[in-house]
Amino acid sequence: MSAPAATGSTLDRVLGARVRRAKGRRRVMLILVALIAVVVVVSLMVGQTFYSFTDVVRVILGQDVPGASFTVGRLRLPRVVLATAAGLSFGMAGVAFQTMLRNPLASPDIIGISAGASAAAAFAIVILGLSGTAVSLVAIVAGLAIALLVYLLAFKGGGGGSRLILIGIGIAAMLDSVTAYVISRAGQWDLQETLRWLSGSLNGASWQQLAPTLLALVVLAPVLLGQSRNLASLQLGDDTASALGVRVERSRLTVLVAAVGLIAFATAAAGPIAFVAFLSGPIAARIVGPRGSLLVPSALVGAALVLVADLCGQYAFGTRYPVGVVTGVLGAPYLVYLIVRTNRAGGSL
């Protein structure tokens, strides 16, 4: 009788631990949602003209408030919604790459997808003379094309995640050179427009600019969430995932297309906001724990990062900086730390 009792006690402890972890994850995610809501409200209230919380709520509800209806409804609200949507997209797509390829360096910032969209946008602005929606479309197509190219080069002959990262870094370096060359040929007006786009900026956000990003988020985020179990299996390795019944190549391609789509549409709307996709996953793993899917926590962390960085970039430094400059300052030291830690541990990409 003692053995079954001991087994039952162990099972109770295991189940209790799982319940506590689940409650902890939900608590952290609720805190993140509350943080996002607070930053959104503060961003709508502050500026050259301060509007009360009541005025902001009335504008959101569609009421006509003199002054606030234009400033909050036409200028600030599209900006914070774009920041939130872009952050959600970058955060979810970034951790999908990192999980699928089992490497924290496997971020769209690192493996060439953002660089492809940026180079194409610069080419469209400076060489082709395009602007607005046309530049966004070129950036989206280029991001998807570069992702497909990296995938085909990396997995030809059964290559793995490390090979994809190395190929992506090489392609990103070439694309950065293309961007630098295009910028060197730009006139004054084109140069300003190109640099504003490349830095990652929410300035001039509009509902028209925002609509494709929201649509991509609504369509592609559920696709990634539907692959969360397969992602967890892929993290154990291709052979293990296949033994667990996962169709490895199909799942990997589905995740790749959905994640690249989120990155491409968000980049087309807000520019390549540096390191949000790179940082969101590790931060989410720290605060909610590595067990379980990190897709939703990372998306929330990404939204919080972009919103806080944009608010700080506008009002915290005495002069205004694009949101991508602030996130770049945060992300670059972590990238250096990660590479140094990997080298000291004797690891490799």
Side-chain angles (χ1 to χ4, degrees), residues 297-317:
S298 297
L300 295 175
V301 169
L305 278 175
V306 176
L307 284 165
V308 172
D310 185 50
L311 190 62
C312 292
Q314 290 187 81
Y315 306 114
F317 303 111

Side-chain angles (χ1 to χ4, degrees), residues 31-67:
I31 292 172
L32 286 171
V33 171
L35 173 63
I36 291 170
V38 169
V39 179
V40 165
V41 171
V42 171
S43 299
L44 293 175
M45 292 171 61
V46 301
Q48 292 184 346
T49 303
F50 179 85
Y51 294 101
S52 67
F53 176 76
T54 303
D55 287 339
V56 168
V57 172
R58 289 173 61 194
V59 171
I60 293 175
L61 293 177
Q63 299 180 21
D64 185 22
V65 182

Side-chain angles (χ1 to χ4, degrees), residues 130-166:
L130 302 178
S131 62
T133 305
V135 175
S136 298
L137 290 174
V138 171
I140 290 169
V141 172
L144 294 170
I146 292 299
L148 179 61
L149 175 63
V150 172
Y151 178 84
L152 292 176
L153 291 175
F155 289 99
K156 183 178 180 181
S162 297
R163 182 176 176 181
L164 185 145
I165 294 169
L166 292 172

